[in-house]
């Protein structure tokens, strides 16, 4: 059974930075994409950034484009999300996810990912 374990969350003031990490282990299936999602209280889970496991193609939602960077260390099986210029509206639980289905483009909908971590909290104060 595979595992996704997030780390790196915390509290930061607006304008600050955080780097989230997601360690992956135990997967025996083919992973096509890895992604970061977030969910704030009372809101739906939204895709923040995704990366194709082979080739490294990326995509982002507009609200984080230019501020967040998704990357992967394939040798260490670690996924990262570098978050700069953080805003209070970035406050949420952040989840790492993996998809074993090839969609062609980089998916950013939660239903397109079939493996999930437990999440790490990010809180940005004004």
């Amino acid at each position: 059974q595979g595992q996704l374990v997030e780390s790196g969350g915390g509290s930061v003031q607006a304008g600050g930075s955080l780097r989230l990490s997601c360690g992956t282990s135990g997967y025996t299936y083919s992973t096509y994409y890895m992604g970061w999602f977030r969910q704030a209280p009372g809101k739906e889970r939204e895709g923040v950034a995704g990366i194709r496991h082979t080739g490294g193609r990326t995509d982002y939602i507009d609200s984080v484009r230019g501020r967040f960077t998704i990357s992967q260390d394939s040798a260490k099986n670690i996924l990262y999300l570098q978050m700069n210029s953080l805003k209070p509206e970035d406050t949420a639980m952040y989840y790492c996810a993996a998809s074993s289905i090839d969609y062609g483009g980089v998916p950013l909908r939660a239903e397109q990912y079939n493996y999930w971590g437990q999440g790490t909290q990010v809180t940005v104060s004004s």
Side-chain angles (χ1 to χ4, degrees), residues 70-83:
I70 188 172
S71 62
Q72 60 187 355
D73 183 330
S74 298
K76 297 181 180 179
N77 292 324
I78 301 176
L79 179 73
Y80 299 102
L81 184 68
Q82 178 66 45
M83 305 185 295

Side-chain angles (χ1 to χ4, degrees), residues 38-87:
R38 65 187 181 187
Q39 188 167 19
K43 295 188 177 181
E44 292 188 356
R45 189 169 298 189
E46 67 172 351
V48 173
I51 186 168
R52 186 174 176 92
H53 192 58
T54 303
R57 179 180 175 183
T58 60
D59 200 8
Y60 301 86
I61 55 171
D62 288 343
S63 61
V64 308
R65 196 182 305 274
R67 300 188 297 122
F68 291 10
T69 302
I70 188 172
S71 62
Q72 60 187 355
D73 183 330
S74 298
K76 297 181 180 179
N77 292 324
I78 301 176
L79 179 73
Y80 299 102
L81 184 68
Q82 178 66 45
M83 305 185 295
N84 298 328
S85 302
L86 283 161
K87 303 176 181 180

